[in-house]
Amino acid sequence: MNGDKGTMKILIRTQGTLAIYEQIVDQLKNAIVTGELKAGEALPSIRALAGELEVSVITTKRAYEELEKEGLVRAVPGKGFYVCEHNKDYLKEKQYVSLERRMAEILADCRKAGMGKEDVLDMVAALFEPV
């Protein structure tokens, strides 16, 4: 998402457990939590984002509707979607819950692959270092 105001980039992974709309939602939530997207800032139009990400308009509409349901963005008829004022602590907690769920899935896969706790910790330590 390279709009006029910001340089936020949404990356869609075709492999993985998250649906495309969930990936969009998660990345926009993260941008809101970190302040990359600020209260009152306009999101790209549904069509513009769909075109940029090469996904269907239905997918981006669903992502925006999910964010609206959670009170993170608001729709302004005829104008588009805007970031709402928000409670950063609440958003961060929701983000942690989502990460814990995903981590639990990954750890289950690690156990299935025969990895022990030390193996997992070694992998995390190696991957956590900046590239």
Side-chain angles (χ1 to χ4, degrees), residues 57-124:
V57 170
I58 294 167
T59 299
T60 54
K61 184 174 189 288
R62 185 173 179 193
Y64 280 15
E65 287 172 346
E66 180 71 27
L67 291 166
E68 186 176 26
K69 265 195 282 185
E70 293 191 31
L72 299 175
V73 302
R74 61 184 160 74
V76 177
K79 296 212 181 234
F81 287 84
Y82 293 83
V83 178
C84 293
E85 288 289 335
H86 48 274
N87 178 334
K88 277 193 174 183
D89 291 336
Y90 172 72
L91 290 178
K92 191 163 278 246
E93 184 62 28
K94 286 191 76 151
Q95 189 177 38
Y96 285 177
V97 168
S98 173
L99 289 169
E100 285 174 3
R101 185 191 77 232
R102 289 172 36 210
M103 194 172 291
E105 291 173 7
I106 291 169
L107 290 173
D109 290 344
C110 289
R111 283 186 205 95
K112 286 178 193 170
M115 293 176 70
K117 183 178 177 180
E118 289 301 317
D119 297 326
V120 172
L121 292 174
D122 288 344
M123 182 182 284
V124 169

Short mmCIF file of all heavy atoms in Angstrom, two decimals, residues 57-124:
data_model
loop_
_atom_site.label_atom_id
_atom_site.label_comp_id
_atom_site.label_asym_id
_atom_site.label_seq_id
_atom_site.Cartn_x
_atom_site.Cartn_y
_atom_site.Cartn_z
N VAL A 57 -11.90 -7.29 -5.23
CA VAL A 57 -12.51 -6.20 -4.49
C VAL A 57 -13.28 -6.77 -3.28
O VAL A 57 -13.29 -6.16 -2.21
CB VAL A 57 -13.45 -5.37 -5.41
CG1 VAL A 57 -14.30 -4.39 -4.63
CG2 VAL A 57 -12.63 -4.65 -6.47
N ILE A 58 -13.85 -7.94 -3.45
CA ILE A 58 -14.60 -8.59 -2.36
C ILE A 58 -13.67 -8.86 -1.17
O ILE A 58 -14.04 -8.67 -0.02
CB ILE A 58 -15.25 -9.90 -2.86
CG1 ILE A 58 -16.32 -9.57 -3.90
CG2 ILE A 58 -15.83 -10.70 -1.70
CD1 ILE A 58 -16.81 -10.76 -4.69
N THR A 59 -12.44 -9.27 -1.46
CA THR A 59 -11.46 -9.56 -0.40
C THR A 59 -11.11 -8.30 0.37
O THR A 59 -11.10 -8.31 1.61
CB THR A 59 -10.19 -10.19 -1.01
OG1 THR A 59 -10.56 -11.42 -1.65
CG2 THR A 59 -9.13 -10.47 0.05
N THR A 60 -10.81 -7.21 -0.32
CA THR A 60 -10.44 -5.98 0.38
C THR A 60 -11.65 -5.40 1.12
O THR A 60 -11.51 -4.89 2.23
CB THR A 60 -9.83 -4.93 -0.56
OG1 THR A 60 -10.72 -4.70 -1.64
CG2 THR A 60 -8.48 -5.38 -1.09
N LYS A 61 -12.83 -5.52 0.52
CA LYS A 61 -14.06 -5.04 1.18
C LYS A 61 -14.27 -5.80 2.48
O LYS A 61 -14.59 -5.22 3.52
CB LYS A 61 -15.25 -5.21 0.25
CG LYS A 61 -16.55 -4.64 0.79
CD LYS A 61 -17.64 -4.74 -0.29
CE LYS A 61 -18.89 -4.01 0.10
NZ LYS A 61 -19.64 -4.67 1.15
N ARG A 62 -14.08 -7.11 2.45
CA ARG A 62 -14.24 -7.94 3.65
C ARG A 62 -13.24 -7.53 4.74
O ARG A 62 -13.58 -7.46 5.92
CB ARG A 62 -14.06 -9.42 3.29
CG ARG A 62 -14.33 -10.35 4.44
CD ARG A 62 -14.31 -11.79 4.00
NE ARG A 62 -14.55 -12.66 5.14
CZ ARG A 62 -14.37 -13.96 5.11
NH1 ARG A 62 -13.94 -14.56 4.02
NH2 ARG A 62 -14.59 -14.68 6.17
N ALA A 63 -12.00 -7.26 4.33
CA ALA A 63 -10.98 -6.83 5.30
C ALA A 63 -11.38 -5.50 5.94
O ALA A 63 -11.31 -5.35 7.17
CB ALA A 63 -9.62 -6.69 4.61
N TYR A 64 -11.81 -4.55 5.14
CA TYR A 64 -12.21 -3.24 5.68
C TYR A 64 -13.43 -3.38 6.59
O TYR A 64 -13.52 -2.72 7.62
CB TYR A 64 -12.50 -2.26 4.54
CG TYR A 64 -11.26 -1.63 3.92
CD1 TYR A 64 -9.98 -2.15 4.14
CD2 TYR A 64 -11.37 -0.52 3.10
CE1 TYR A 64 -8.87 -1.57 3.57
CE2 TYR A 64 -10.26 0.07 2.52
CZ TYR A 64 -9.01 -0.45 2.76
OH TYR A 64 -7.90 0.13 2.20
N GLU A 65 -14.38 -4.23 6.20
CA GLU A 65 -15.57 -4.44 7.04
C GLU A 65 -15.20 -5.07 8.37
O GLU A 65 -15.77 -4.72 9.41
CB GLU A 65 -16.60 -5.31 6.30
CG GLU A 65 -17.29 -4.56 5.17
CD GLU A 65 -18.17 -5.43 4.30
OE1 GLU A 65 -18.08 -6.69 4.38
OE2 GLU A 65 -18.95 -4.86 3.51
N GLU A 66 -14.23 -5.98 8.37
CA GLU A 66 -13.74 -6.60 9.61
C GLU A 66 -13.12 -5.54 10.52
O GLU A 66 -13.38 -5.50 11.72
CB GLU A 66 -12.73 -7.70 9.28
CG GLU A 66 -12.16 -8.42 10.48
CD GLU A 66 -13.17 -9.33 11.18
OE1 GLU A 66 -14.12 -9.80 10.51
OE2 GLU A 66 -13.02 -9.54 12.39
N LEU A 67 -12.30 -4.67 9.94
CA LEU A 67 -11.68 -3.59 10.71
C LEU A 67 -12.74 -2.63 11.25
O LEU A 67 -12.63 -2.12 12.36
CB LEU A 67 -10.67 -2.84 9.85
CG LEU A 67 -9.41 -3.61 9.48
CD1 LEU A 67 -8.65 -2.92 8.36
CD2 LEU A 67 -8.51 -3.82 10.69
N GLU A 68 -13.78 -2.41 10.47
CA GLU A 68 -14.87 -1.53 10.91
C GLU A 68 -15.64 -2.16 12.07
O GLU A 68 -15.96 -1.49 13.05
CB GLU A 68 -15.81 -1.22 9.74
CG GLU A 68 -16.87 -0.19 10.08
CD GLU A 68 -17.74 0.18 8.89
OE1 GLU A 68 -17.89 -0.64 7.96
OE2 GLU A 68 -18.28 1.29 8.90
N LYS A 69 -15.90 -3.48 11.97
CA LYS A 69 -16.59 -4.20 13.06
C LYS A 69 -15.81 -4.09 14.36
O LYS A 69 -16.39 -4.03 15.44
CB LYS A 69 -16.75 -5.69 12.72
CG LYS A 69 -18.07 -6.04 12.09
CD LYS A 69 -18.31 -7.53 12.10
CE LYS A 69 -17.51 -8.21 11.03
NZ LYS A 69 -17.77 -9.63 10.89
N GLU A 70 -14.49 -4.11 14.26
CA GLU A 70 -13.64 -4.03 15.45
C GLU A 70 -13.44 -2.59 15.92
O GLU A 70 -12.75 -2.35 16.91
CB GLU A 70 -12.29 -4.70 15.17
CG GLU A 70 -12.42 -6.19 14.97
CD GLU A 70 -11.08 -6.90 14.95
OE1 GLU A 70 -10.15 -6.43 15.64
OE2 GLU A 70 -10.97 -7.91 14.26
N GLY A 71 -14.02 -1.65 15.20
CA GLY A 71 -13.94 -0.25 15.61
C GLY A 71 -12.61 0.42 15.31
O GLY A 71 -12.29 1.45 15.89
N LEU A 72 -11.84 -0.17 14.40
CA LEU A 72 -10.53 0.40 14.07
C LEU A 72 -10.60 1.42 12.94
O LEU A 72 -9.78 2.33 12.87
CB LEU A 72 -9.54 -0.71 13.70
CG LEU A 72 -9.28 -1.72 14.81
CD1 LEU A 72 -8.40 -2.84 14.31
CD2 LEU A 72 -8.67 -1.04 16.01
N VAL A 73 -11.56 1.23 12.04
CA VAL A 73 -11.77 2.18 10.96
C VAL A 73 -13.26 2.49 10.89
O VAL A 73 -14.09 1.74 11.41
CB VAL A 73 -11.27 1.65 9.58
CG1 VAL A 73 -9.80 1.30 9.63
CG2 VAL A 73 -12.09 0.48 9.10
N ARG A 74 -13.58 3.60 10.25
CA ARG A 74 -14.98 3.95 10.06
C ARG A 74 -15.19 4.28 8.59
O ARG A 74 -14.30 4.85 7.93
CB ARG A 74 -15.40 5.10 10.96
CG ARG A 74 -14.67 6.37 10.72
CD ARG A 74 -15.04 7.47 11.71
NE ARG A 74 -14.03 8.50 11.77
CZ ARG A 74 -13.83 9.42 10.84
NH1 ARG A 74 -14.57 9.43 9.77
NH2 ARG A 74 -12.88 10.32 10.98
N ALA A 75 -16.37 3.91 8.10
CA ALA A 75 -16.72 4.22 6.72
C ALA A 75 -17.39 5.59 6.69
O ALA A 75 -18.27 5.87 7.50
CB ALA A 75 -17.66 3.16 6.16
N VAL A 76 -16.96 6.43 5.78
CA VAL A 76 -17.60 7.72 5.56
C VAL A 76 -18.24 7.63 4.17
O VAL A 76 -17.51 7.54 3.17
CB VAL A 76 -16.59 8.88 5.63
CG1 VAL A 76 -17.26 10.20 5.33
CG2 VAL A 76 -15.90 8.90 6.99
N PRO A 77 -19.58 7.59 4.12
CA PRO A 77 -20.26 7.41 2.84
C PRO A 77 -19.77 8.41 1.78
O PRO A 77 -19.67 9.61 2.04
CB PRO A 77 -21.73 7.65 3.17
CG PRO A 77 -21.84 7.29 4.63
CD PRO A 77 -20.52 7.72 5.23
N GLY A 78 -19.42 7.87 0.63
CA GLY A 78 -18.96 8.69 -0.48
C GLY A 78 -17.51 9.14 -0.38
O GLY A 78 -16.99 9.74 -1.30
N LYS A 79 -16.86 8.85 0.74
CA LYS A 79 -15.47 9.31 0.93
C LYS A 79 -14.49 8.17 1.13
O LYS A 79 -13.34 8.27 0.76
CB LYS A 79 -15.39 10.27 2.11
CG LYS A 79 -16.19 11.53 1.87
CD LYS A 79 -15.55 12.69 2.56
CE LYS A 79 -16.37 13.92 2.33
NZ LYS A 79 -15.64 15.01 1.79
N GLY A 80 -14.90 7.08 1.80
CA GLY A 80 -13.99 5.96 2.03
C GLY A 80 -13.89 5.59 3.49
O GLY A 80 -14.76 5.90 4.30
N PHE A 81 -12.79 4.91 3.83
CA PHE A 81 -12.56 4.43 5.18
C PHE A 81 -11.45 5.22 5.84
O PHE A 81 -10.42 5.51 5.20
CB PHE A 81 -12.18 2.93 5.15
CG PHE A 81 -13.35 2.03 4.84
CD1 PHE A 81 -13.72 1.80 3.53
CD2 PHE A 81 -14.07 1.43 5.85
CE1 PHE A 81 -14.80 0.97 3.23
CE2 PHE A 81 -15.14 0.61 5.56
CZ PHE A 81 -15.51 0.38 4.25
N TYR A 82 -11.63 5.52 7.12
CA TYR A 82 -10.67 6.31 7.88
C TYR A 82 -10.33 5.61 9.19
O TYR A 82 -11.19 4.96 9.79
CB TYR A 82 -11.24 7.70 8.19
CG TYR A 82 -11.40 8.54 6.95
CD1 TYR A 82 -12.52 8.40 6.14
CD2 TYR A 82 -10.42 9.43 6.57
CE1 TYR A 82 -12.67 9.14 4.98
CE2 TYR A 82 -10.56 10.18 5.41
CZ TYR A 82 -11.68 10.04 4.62
OH TYR A 82 -11.80 10.76 3.46
N VAL A 83 -9.09 5.77 9.64
CA VAL A 83 -8.64 5.19 10.90
C VAL A 83 -9.32 5.93 12.04
O VAL A 83 -9.35 7.16 12.07
CB VAL A 83 -7.10 5.29 11.03
CG1 VAL A 83 -6.64 4.72 12.37
CG2 VAL A 83 -6.42 4.57 9.88
N CYS A 84 -9.87 5.16 13.00
CA CYS A 84 -10.55 5.73 14.16
C CYS A 84 -9.53 6.06 15.26
O CYS A 84 -8.43 5.52 15.27
CB CYS A 84 -11.55 4.74 14.75
SG CYS A 84 -12.95 4.39 13.69
N GLU A 85 -9.96 6.90 16.20
CA GLU A 85 -9.20 7.06 17.44
C GLU A 85 -9.24 5.69 18.11
O GLU A 85 -10.24 4.98 18.01
CB GLU A 85 -9.87 8.09 18.36
CG GLU A 85 -9.74 9.51 17.88
CD GLU A 85 -8.33 10.06 18.00
OE1 GLU A 85 -7.55 9.57 18.85
OE2 GLU A 85 -7.99 10.96 17.23
N HIS A 86 -8.21 5.30 18.80
CA HIS A 86 -8.18 3.95 19.35
C HIS A 86 -7.37 3.91 20.63
O HIS A 86 -6.58 4.79 20.93
CB HIS A 86 -7.60 2.98 18.32
CG HIS A 86 -6.32 3.48 17.72
ND1 HIS A 86 -6.30 4.31 16.64
CD2 HIS A 86 -5.04 3.30 18.09
CE1 HIS A 86 -5.05 4.62 16.36
NE2 HIS A 86 -4.26 4.03 17.22
N ASN A 87 -7.58 2.83 21.35
CA ASN A 87 -6.85 2.56 22.58
C ASN A 87 -5.70 1.63 22.22
O ASN A 87 -5.91 0.44 21.95
CB ASN A 87 -7.79 1.91 23.59
CG ASN A 87 -7.12 1.54 24.88
OD1 ASN A 87 -5.91 1.30 24.93
ND2 ASN A 87 -7.90 1.47 25.94
N LYS A 88 -4.47 2.14 22.20
CA LYS A 88 -3.31 1.35 21.78
C LYS A 88 -3.08 0.12 22.65
O LYS A 88 -2.69 -0.93 22.16
CB LYS A 88 -2.05 2.21 21.75
CG LYS A 88 -1.90 3.00 20.50
CD LYS A 88 -0.50 3.58 20.39
CE LYS A 88 -0.34 4.25 19.05
NZ LYS A 88 0.99 4.76 18.84
N ASP A 89 -3.32 0.24 23.96
CA ASP A 89 -3.12 -0.92 24.85
C ASP A 89 -4.07 -2.05 24.48
O ASP A 89 -3.68 -3.22 24.44
CB ASP A 89 -3.31 -0.53 26.32
CG ASP A 89 -2.19 0.38 26.82
OD1 ASP A 89 -1.08 0.35 26.23
OD2 ASP A 89 -2.43 1.12 27.78
N TYR A 90 -5.32 -1.70 24.21
CA TYR A 90 -6.31 -2.70 23.82
C TYR A 90 -5.91 -3.36 22.50
O TYR A 90 -5.96 -4.58 22.37
CB TYR A 90 -7.68 -2.03 23.69
CG TYR A 90 -8.74 -2.92 23.10
CD1 TYR A 90 -9.28 -3.97 23.84
CD2 TYR A 90 -9.21 -2.72 21.81
CE1 TYR A 90 -10.25 -4.79 23.30
CE2 TYR A 90 -10.18 -3.54 21.26
CZ TYR A 90 -10.70 -4.57 22.01
OH TYR A 90 -11.67 -5.38 21.47
N LEU A 91 -5.48 -2.55 21.53
CA LEU A 91 -5.07 -3.11 20.25
C LEU A 91 -3.86 -4.02 20.39
O LEU A 91 -3.78 -5.08 19.78
CB LEU A 91 -4.73 -1.98 19.26
CG LEU A 91 -5.89 -1.14 18.75
CD1 LEU A 91 -5.38 -0.06 17.83
CD2 LEU A 91 -6.90 -2.00 18.04
N LYS A 92 -2.90 -3.60 21.20
CA LYS A 92 -1.70 -4.41 21.40
C LYS A 92 -2.07 -5.75 22.04
O LYS A 92 -1.56 -6.80 21.64
CB LYS A 92 -0.69 -3.65 22.26
CG LYS A 92 0.68 -4.33 22.29
CD LYS A 92 1.74 -3.39 22.78
CE LYS A 92 2.19 -2.52 21.67
NZ LYS A 92 3.48 -2.59 21.16
N GLU A 93 -2.98 -5.74 23.01
CA GLU A 93 -3.42 -6.98 23.65
C GLU A 93 -4.08 -7.90 22.63
O GLU A 93 -3.82 -9.10 22.60
CB GLU A 93 -4.38 -6.66 24.81
CG GLU A 93 -4.80 -7.88 25.59
CD GLU A 93 -3.65 -8.60 26.29
OE1 GLU A 93 -2.64 -7.96 26.63
OE2 GLU A 93 -3.77 -9.83 26.47
N LYS A 94 -4.94 -7.35 21.78
CA LYS A 94 -5.58 -8.16 20.74
C LYS A 94 -4.54 -8.74 19.79
O LYS A 94 -4.64 -9.89 19.35
CB LYS A 94 -6.60 -7.33 19.97
CG LYS A 94 -7.86 -7.07 20.75
CD LYS A 94 -8.93 -6.48 19.88
CE LYS A 94 -9.50 -7.57 19.04
NZ LYS A 94 -10.84 -7.47 18.63
N GLN A 95 -3.52 -7.94 19.49
CA GLN A 95 -2.45 -8.40 18.60
C GLN A 95 -1.70 -9.57 19.27
O GLN A 95 -1.39 -10.56 18.61
CB GLN A 95 -1.52 -7.24 18.32
CG GLN A 95 -0.50 -7.51 17.25
CD GLN A 95 0.34 -6.28 16.97
OE1 GLN A 95 0.69 -5.53 17.88
NE2 GLN A 95 0.68 -6.06 15.71
N TYR A 96 -1.43 -9.46 20.56
CA TYR A 96 -0.73 -10.53 21.28
C TYR A 96 -1.55 -11.81 21.28
O TYR A 96 -1.00 -12.91 21.10
CB TYR A 96 -0.42 -10.11 22.72
CG TYR A 96 0.71 -9.12 22.88
CD1 TYR A 96 1.03 -8.62 24.12
CD2 TYR A 96 1.45 -8.68 21.79
CE1 TYR A 96 2.07 -7.71 24.28
CE2 TYR A 96 2.49 -7.77 21.94
CZ TYR A 96 2.79 -7.29 23.19
OH TYR A 96 3.81 -6.40 23.35
N VAL A 97 -2.86 -11.70 21.48
CA VAL A 97 -3.72 -12.88 21.48
C VAL A 97 -3.65 -13.58 20.12
O VAL A 97 -3.53 -14.80 20.03
CB VAL A 97 -5.18 -12.50 21.84
CG1 VAL A 97 -6.14 -13.65 21.57
CG2 VAL A 97 -5.25 -12.07 23.30
N SER A 98 -3.69 -12.79 19.05
CA SER A 98 -3.60 -13.36 17.71
C SER A 98 -2.25 -14.03 17.49
O SER A 98 -2.17 -15.14 16.94
CB SER A 98 -3.80 -12.24 16.67
OG SER A 98 -3.55 -12.73 15.38
N LEU A 99 -1.17 -13.39 17.95
CA LEU A 99 0.17 -13.98 17.81
C LEU A 99 0.29 -15.27 18.61
O LEU A 99 0.91 -16.24 18.14
CB LEU A 99 1.24 -12.98 18.25
CG LEU A 99 1.45 -11.80 17.30
CD1 LEU A 99 2.32 -10.74 17.96
CD2 LEU A 99 2.06 -12.25 15.99
N GLU A 100 -0.28 -15.29 19.80
CA GLU A 100 -0.24 -16.51 20.62
C GLU A 100 -0.94 -17.66 19.92
O GLU A 100 -0.46 -18.79 19.92
CB GLU A 100 -0.88 -16.27 21.98
CG GLU A 100 -0.01 -15.45 22.91
CD GLU A 100 -0.72 -15.08 24.22
OE1 GLU A 100 -1.88 -15.51 24.44
OE2 GLU A 100 -0.10 -14.37 25.02
N ARG A 101 -2.09 -17.38 19.29
CA ARG A 101 -2.83 -18.41 18.56
C ARG A 101 -1.98 -18.97 17.42
O ARG A 101 -1.85 -20.18 17.25
CB ARG A 101 -4.14 -17.83 18.03
CG ARG A 101 -5.02 -18.87 17.35
CD ARG A 101 -6.19 -18.25 16.60
NE ARG A 101 -5.65 -17.71 15.36
CZ ARG A 101 -5.83 -16.48 14.92
NH1 ARG A 101 -6.54 -15.63 15.59
NH2 ARG A 101 -5.30 -16.07 13.79
N ARG A 102 -1.36 -18.06 16.64
CA ARG A 102 -0.54 -18.49 15.53
C ARG A 102 0.69 -19.25 16.01
O ARG A 102 1.11 -20.24 15.41
CB ARG A 102 -0.15 -17.29 14.67
CG ARG A 102 -1.35 -16.76 13.90
CD ARG A 102 -1.17 -15.47 13.16
NE ARG A 102 0.11 -15.25 12.54
CZ ARG A 102 0.64 -14.04 12.36
NH1 ARG A 102 0.00 -12.97 12.75
NH2 ARG A 102 1.81 -13.91 11.79
N MET A 103 1.29 -18.78 17.12
CA MET A 103 2.47 -19.45 17.66
C MET A 103 2.13 -20.86 18.14
O MET A 103 2.91 -21.79 17.95
CB MET A 103 3.09 -18.63 18.79
CG MET A 103 4.49 -19.10 19.15
SD MET A 103 5.32 -18.01 20.31
CE MET A 103 5.60 -16.56 19.31
N ALA A 104 0.95 -21.02 18.74
CA ALA A 104 0.52 -22.34 19.19
C ALA A 104 0.42 -23.30 18.01
O ALA A 104 0.81 -24.47 18.10
CB ALA A 104 -0.82 -22.25 19.93
N GLU A 105 -0.08 -22.80 16.87
CA GLU A 105 -0.17 -23.64 15.66
C GLU A 105 1.23 -24.03 15.18
O GLU A 105 1.47 -25.17 14.81
CB GLU A 105 -0.90 -22.88 14.54
CG GLU A 105 -2.37 -22.66 14.81
CD GLU A 105 -3.03 -21.75 13.77
OE1 GLU A 105 -2.37 -21.39 12.76
OE2 GLU A 105 -4.19 -21.40 13.98
N ILE A 106 2.14 -23.08 15.18
CA ILE A 106 3.51 -23.34 14.74
C ILE A 106 4.19 -24.34 15.67
O ILE A 106 4.87 -25.27 15.22
CB ILE A 106 4.31 -22.03 14.63
CG1 ILE A 106 3.78 -21.20 13.47
CG2 ILE A 106 5.80 -22.30 14.48
CD1 ILE A 106 4.31 -19.78 13.42
N LEU A 107 3.99 -24.17 16.99
CA LEU A 107 4.60 -25.09 17.94
C LEU A 107 4.05 -26.50 17.79
O LEU A 107 4.80 -27.48 17.93
CB LEU A 107 4.42 -24.58 19.38
CG LEU A 107 5.24 -23.33 19.71
CD1 LEU A 107 4.87 -22.80 21.09
CD2 LEU A 107 6.73 -23.60 19.62
N ALA A 108 2.77 -26.62 17.48
CA ALA A 108 2.19 -27.94 17.22
C ALA A 108 2.87 -28.57 16.01
O ALA A 108 3.20 -29.77 16.02
CB ALA A 108 0.69 -27.82 17.01
N ASP A 109 3.13 -27.78 14.97
CA ASP A 109 3.83 -28.28 13.79
C ASP A 109 5.26 -28.69 14.13
O ASP A 109 5.77 -29.69 13.61
CB ASP A 109 3.85 -27.23 12.67
CG ASP A 109 2.48 -27.01 12.05
OD1 ASP A 109 1.58 -27.87 12.24
OD2 ASP A 109 2.31 -25.97 11.37
N CYS A 110 5.91 -27.92 15.00
CA CYS A 110 7.28 -28.25 15.43
C CYS A 110 7.30 -29.60 16.16
O CYS A 110 8.18 -30.43 15.93
CB CYS A 110 7.83 -27.16 16.35
SG CYS A 110 8.21 -25.62 15.50
N ARG A 111 6.32 -29.81 17.05
CA ARG A 111 6.25 -31.09 17.77
C ARG A 111 6.04 -32.25 16.80
O ARG A 111 6.68 -33.29 16.93
CB ARG A 111 5.11 -31.06 18.79
CG ARG A 111 5.44 -30.29 20.04
CD ARG A 111 4.32 -30.42 21.09
NE ARG A 111 4.36 -29.27 21.97
CZ ARG A 111 3.63 -28.16 21.83
NH1 ARG A 111 2.75 -28.06 20.86
NH2 ARG A 111 3.77 -27.17 22.67
N LYS A 112 5.18 -32.05 15.81
CA LYS A 112 4.92 -33.08 14.80
C LYS A 112 6.18 -33.42 14.03
O LYS A 112 6.37 -34.55 13.58
CB LYS A 112 3.82 -32.64 13.83
CG LYS A 112 2.44 -32.66 14.42
CD LYS A 112 1.43 -32.14 13.40
CE LYS A 112 0.09 -31.86 14.06
NZ LYS A 112 -0.82 -31.15 13.15
N ALA A 113 7.04 -32.40 13.85
CA ALA A 113 8.30 -32.61 13.12
C ALA A 113 9.38 -33.21 14.01
O ALA A 113 10.50 -33.42 13.56
CB ALA A 113 8.78 -31.28 12.53
N GLY A 114 9.02 -33.46 15.29
CA GLY A 114 9.97 -34.09 16.20
C GLY A 114 10.92 -33.13 16.88
O GLY A 114 11.92 -33.55 17.47
N MET A 115 10.63 -31.84 16.82
CA MET A 115 11.51 -30.86 17.45
C MET A 115 11.22 -30.77 18.94
O MET A 115 10.07 -30.83 19.36
CB MET A 115 11.31 -29.47 16.82
CG MET A 115 11.75 -29.39 15.38
SD MET A 115 11.40 -27.76 14.63
CE MET A 115 12.58 -26.74 15.50
N GLY A 116 12.28 -30.62 19.72
CA GLY A 116 12.15 -30.41 21.15
C GLY A 116 12.19 -28.91 21.46
O GLY A 116 12.44 -28.08 20.57
N LYS A 117 11.99 -28.59 22.73
CA LYS A 117 11.97 -27.19 23.16
C LYS A 117 13.28 -26.47 22.80
O LYS A 117 13.26 -25.35 22.30
CB LYS A 117 11.71 -27.12 24.67
CG LYS A 117 11.61 -25.72 25.20
CD LYS A 117 11.30 -25.75 26.71
CE LYS A 117 11.26 -24.36 27.29
NZ LYS A 117 10.96 -24.38 28.73
N GLU A 118 14.40 -27.14 23.05
CA GLU A 118 15.70 -26.52 22.74
C GLU A 118 15.86 -26.26 21.24
O GLU A 118 16.39 -25.23 20.84
CB GLU A 118 16.86 -27.40 23.26
CG GLU A 118 16.98 -27.40 24.77
CD GLU A 118 17.20 -26.00 25.36
OE1 GLU A 118 18.00 -25.22 24.79
OE2 GLU A 118 16.57 -25.68 26.38
N ASP A 119 15.39 -27.22 20.42
CA ASP A 119 15.45 -27.03 18.97
C ASP A 119 14.65 -25.80 18.55
O ASP A 119 15.10 -24.99 17.74
CB ASP A 119 14.89 -28.25 18.23
CG ASP A 119 15.70 -29.52 18.48
OD1 ASP A 119 16.92 -29.41 18.63
OD2 ASP A 119 15.08 -30.60 18.53
N VAL A 120 13.45 -25.68 19.13
CA VAL A 120 12.58 -24.55 18.80
C VAL A 120 13.22 -23.24 19.26
O VAL A 120 13.26 -22.26 18.50
CB VAL A 120 11.17 -24.72 19.43
CG1 VAL A 120 10.33 -23.47 19.26
CG2 VAL A 120 10.46 -25.94 18.84
N LEU A 121 13.75 -23.23 20.48
CA LEU A 121 14.38 -22.02 21.00
C LEU A 121 15.60 -21.62 20.17
O LEU A 121 15.83 -20.43 19.91
CB LEU A 121 14.75 -22.18 22.48
CG LEU A 121 13.56 -22.29 23.44
CD1 LEU A 121 14.04 -22.60 24.85
CD2 LEU A 121 12.73 -21.02 23.42
N ASP A 122 16.37 -22.62 19.73
CA ASP A 122 17.53 -22.33 18.86
C ASP A 122 17.06 -21.71 17.54
O ASP A 122 17.67 -20.76 17.05
CB ASP A 122 18.32 -23.62 18.57
CG ASP A 122 19.11 -24.11 19.78
OD1 ASP A 122 19.29 -23.32 20.74
OD2 ASP A 122 19.55 -25.27 19.75
N MET A 123 15.98 -22.26 16.98
CA MET A 123 15.45 -21.74 15.72
C MET A 123 14.96 -20.31 15.90
O MET A 123 15.25 -19.43 15.09
CB MET A 123 14.31 -22.63 15.20
CG MET A 123 13.75 -22.17 13.87
SD MET A 123 12.37 -23.19 13.32
CE MET A 123 13.26 -24.64 12.76
N VAL A 124 14.23 -20.07 16.99
CA VAL A 124 13.72 -18.72 17.26
C VAL A 124 14.88 -17.74 17.42
O VAL A 124 14.87 -16.65 16.86
CB VAL A 124 12.81 -18.71 18.52
CG1 VAL A 124 12.50 -17.29 18.95
CG2 VAL A 124 11.52 -19.47 18.23
#
